[in-house]
């Protein structure tokens, strides 16, 4: 006899919601016509948070992916003129990745696409429900950091 899983339906809802968010964000990315994948968008956003151009290994660590995945993403973004590889000024064996002006413009457009996607996703909620959702998401993101065993 199996014990019912009380969190099973909730886990399924979370997975379905995650897929819906991804689908809507992908559609909005496609509509802005930049030819950027969600993974490339994430790399551009991450790159924008660095004060100076990072190494590929730094990006891989921040994105929590293997370095090879970053190489593939950078190759595509470099081919479209959104990023460029530049030599490290202190160590010529190190290559750093920097945003180009086209990359900065793409980020501005991506921000608008993400905002439109969020508006679509959150449209059915009242302001009060949005506030509650925000609090619940903060709790889940923090992983219950304030809780002690």
């Amino acid at each position: 006899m199996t014990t019912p899983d009380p969190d099973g339906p909730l886990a399924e809802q979370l997975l379905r919601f995650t897929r819906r968010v991804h689908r809507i964000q992908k559609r909005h990315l496609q509509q802005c016509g930049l030819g950027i994948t969600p993974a490339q968008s994430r790399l551009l956003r991450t790159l924008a948070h660095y004060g100076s151009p990072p190494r590929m290994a730094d990006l891989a660590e921040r994105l929590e992916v293997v370095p090879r995945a970053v190489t593939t993403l950078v190759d595509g973004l470099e081919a479209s003129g959104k990023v460029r590889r530049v030599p490290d000024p202190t160590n010529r064996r190190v290559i750093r990745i920097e945003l180009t002006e086209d990359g900065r413009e793409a980020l501005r457009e991506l921000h608008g696409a993400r905002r439109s996607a969020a508006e679509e996703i959150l449209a059915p909620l009242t302001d009060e429900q949005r506030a509650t959702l925000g609090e619940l998401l903060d709790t889940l993101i923090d992983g219950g950091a304030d809780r002690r065993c």
Side-chain angles (χ1 to χ4, degrees), residues 3-142:
T3 306
D5 179 6
D7 293 330
L10 184 58
E12 181 59 29
Q13 282 179 297
L14 286 171
L15 290 173
R16 287 176 44 216
F17 178 67
T18 301
R19 286 191 297 265
R20 181 172 185 263
V21 167
H22 181 75
R23 206 172 40 252
I24 289 170
Q25 286 183 335
K26 187 175 181 180
R27 179 170 37 83
H28 281 264
L29 278 176
Q30 289 170 341
Q31 287 173 348
C32 74
L34 292 173
I36 292 176
T37 67
Q40 288 173 328
S41 170
R42 185 171 174 235
L43 186 137
L44 286 174
R45 289 191 322 273
T46 301
L47 192 54
H49 290 288
Y50 281 92
S52 60
R55 300 172 306 139
M56 295 250 240
D58 299 329
L59 286 168
E61 185 177 329
R62 178 81 57 92
L63 293 169
E64 298 179 349
V65 298
V66 296
R68 178 70 187 122
V70 171
T71 300
T72 301
L73 293 172
V74 168
D75 286 348
L77 289 168
E78 187 176 39
S80 68
K82 309 267 185 305
V83 302
R84 69 176 143 253
R85 289 174 166 93
V86 294
D88 183 289
T90 61
N91 183 347
R92 65 184 180 154
R93 293 174 296 170
V94 174
I95 299 296
R96 296 191 174 269
I97 309 303
E98 71 178 9
L99 280 170
T100 63
E101 189 50 45
D102 282 351
R104 285 183 196 73
E105 178 58 31
L107 274 171
R108 286 187 283 275
E109 291 185 45
L110 289 169
H111 179 73
R114 287 174 54 87
R115 186 85 191 118
S116 296
E119 288 171 6
E120 180 179 337
I121 292 162
L122 298 173
L125 301 179
T126 65
D127 289 343
E128 184 178 327
Q129 289 172 321
R130 289 175 188 219
T132 300
L133 177 61
E135 291 170 10
L136 291 169
L137 289 173
D138 282 343
T139 300
L140 292 173
I141 290 166
D142 295 341

